[in-house]
Amino acid sequence: MHAKGCSLLLSDVHLSTEAPEITRRFFKFLHSQTSHCQALFILGDLFELWIGDDAPGTLGLEVAVELRQLAGNGISLFFMHGNRDFLIGPDYAAQAGMQLLEDPCIVYFNQQPVLLSHGDAWCTDDVEYQAFRSHRLKPEVRQAFLAQSEAERVAFAKNARDASRQHTQNSAAGIMDVNQAVIQEVFAGSGVDTIIHGHTHRPADHTYHDVRQRLVLGDWYSQASWLEIDTDGIHRHGGVI
Ligand code: MN
């Protein structure tokens, strides 16, 4: 796919009914920072929890209205799953006017290929998480989860999130980051010079051998964070908006 003009990329907004200030921040961003661009790429964890397209909740519905409005203004919207909202399906994507992207995928910006990913698959040092990730990606596990009642799914998802938070607190910082050997394999295997991902909440511009770069998106817990790609290159934006 070739993205034309100006594109904005973000991830890890973690929208939640428990944190209305993040929702306000995200909507303000949509209203004030996007009108000059042609495409918005959301690279996962837009929502803190997603239990299925049949139960979007008030927040999910509000977000769909906002995103659809952007799509109506002619901005192309793309969504890639994160580990928190991997259950977003074609129904909600259509409702929000978003096209679903595979993880990873290569998009051409200004004729330059850029590999986009949420990033959690590359955190291979976290063996426990990778085992859980493989488990939840199984179709039968997904179906069994979606067959439960809404209340059961909410309870399960909150438990999983709390266990994940506990696991993060108890684990060495290093295993929560991407594995450098895996990153080198991704560069070598894909042939791209630029990787953009989120998930780790460690926004930074990493350069390898002066030519390759790995740009990490930031989370939206206390400020906005996004990358803009236009004909001049890639620019980091964010802070208080
Ligand atoms: Mn994530």
Side-chain angles (χ1 to χ4, degrees):
M1 177 178 44
H2 285 262
K4 295 192 182 74
C6 164
S7 298
L8 306 182
L9 300 92
L10 58 87
S11 69
D12 303 286
V13 185
H14 291 273
L15 293 169
S16 160
T17 51
E18 293 164 23
E21 70 279 9
I22 300 180
T23 308
R24 279 198 294 275
R25 185 174 299 125
F26 182 60
F27 287 177
K28 192 171 179 193
F29 161 81
L30 295 178
H31 297 158
S32 66
Q33 306 290 332
T34 58
S35 61
H36 66 291
C37 78
Q38 279 71 52
L40 173 65
F41 291 79
I42 300 170
L43 301 185
D45 288 355
L46 174 62
F47 292 97
E48 172 81 353
L49 294 176
W50 193 263
I51 59 164
D53 289 1
D54 60 328
T58 312
L59 178 63
L61 295 175
E62 281 173 8
V63 171
V65 168
E66 292 286 341
L67 291 174
R68 209 175 164 75
Q69 202 167 338
L70 229 64
N73 291 340
I75 298 175
S76 302
L77 303 182
F78 300 96
F79 177 80
M80 181 182 284
H81 293 115
N83 52 301
R84 296 294 179 79
D85 51 15
F86 64 97
L87 282 173
I88 285 182
D91 289 350
Y92 185 73
Q95 200 179 342
M98 307 189 294
Q99 299 175 53
L100 293 173
L101 293 177
E102 292 292 319
D103 182 0
C105 74
I106 293 177
V107 176
Y108 285 78
F109 298 92
N110 303 319
Q111 278 71 55
Q112 297 297 315
V114 175
L115 189 136
L116 307 178
S117 175
H118 181 58
D120 58 318
W122 299 334
C123 298
T124 55
D125 294 335
D126 189 350
V127 175
E128 197 178 318
Y129 170 69
Q130 292 303 331
F132 172 67
R133 185 174 188 273
S134 308
H135 172 75
R136 68 156 161 75
L137 288 176
K138 289 177 186 162
E140 64 270 27
V141 172
R142 183 190 183 99
Q143 275 168 20
F145 179 78
L146 290 172
Q148 293 177 23
S149 74
E150 210 175 307
E152 286 170 319
R153 281 184 270 165
V154 168
F156 183 91
K158 285 193 171 165
N159 273 338
R161 180 196 56 186
D162 293 344
S164 155
R165 280 182 182 161
Q166 197 64 45
H167 174 62
T168 303
Q169 280 169 15
N170 294 345
S171 301
I175 74 162
M176 295 296 158
D177 206 349
V178 297
N179 176 287
Q180 292 304 325
V182 169
I183 293 299
Q184 292 311 319
E185 282 167 24
V186 173
F187 274 124
S190 64
V192 303
D193 285 334
T194 304
I195 292 173
I196 297 176
H197 72 86
H199 180 67
T200 60
H201 300 195
R202 297 173 188 208
D205 302 347
H206 300 278
T207 305
Y208 304 89
H209 309 296
D210 292 332
V211 288
R212 289 170 169 172
Q213 56 181 345
R214 178 172 65 90
L215 308 177
V216 187
L217 298 160
D219 67 68
W220 285 58
Y221 290 143
S222 58
Q223 57 176 16
S225 179
W226 72 94
L227 293 176
E228 178 168 334
I229 308 184
D230 58 23
T231 48
D232 293 334
I234 306 178
H235 317 275
R236 195 176 280 280
H237 294 277
V240 178
I241 57 165

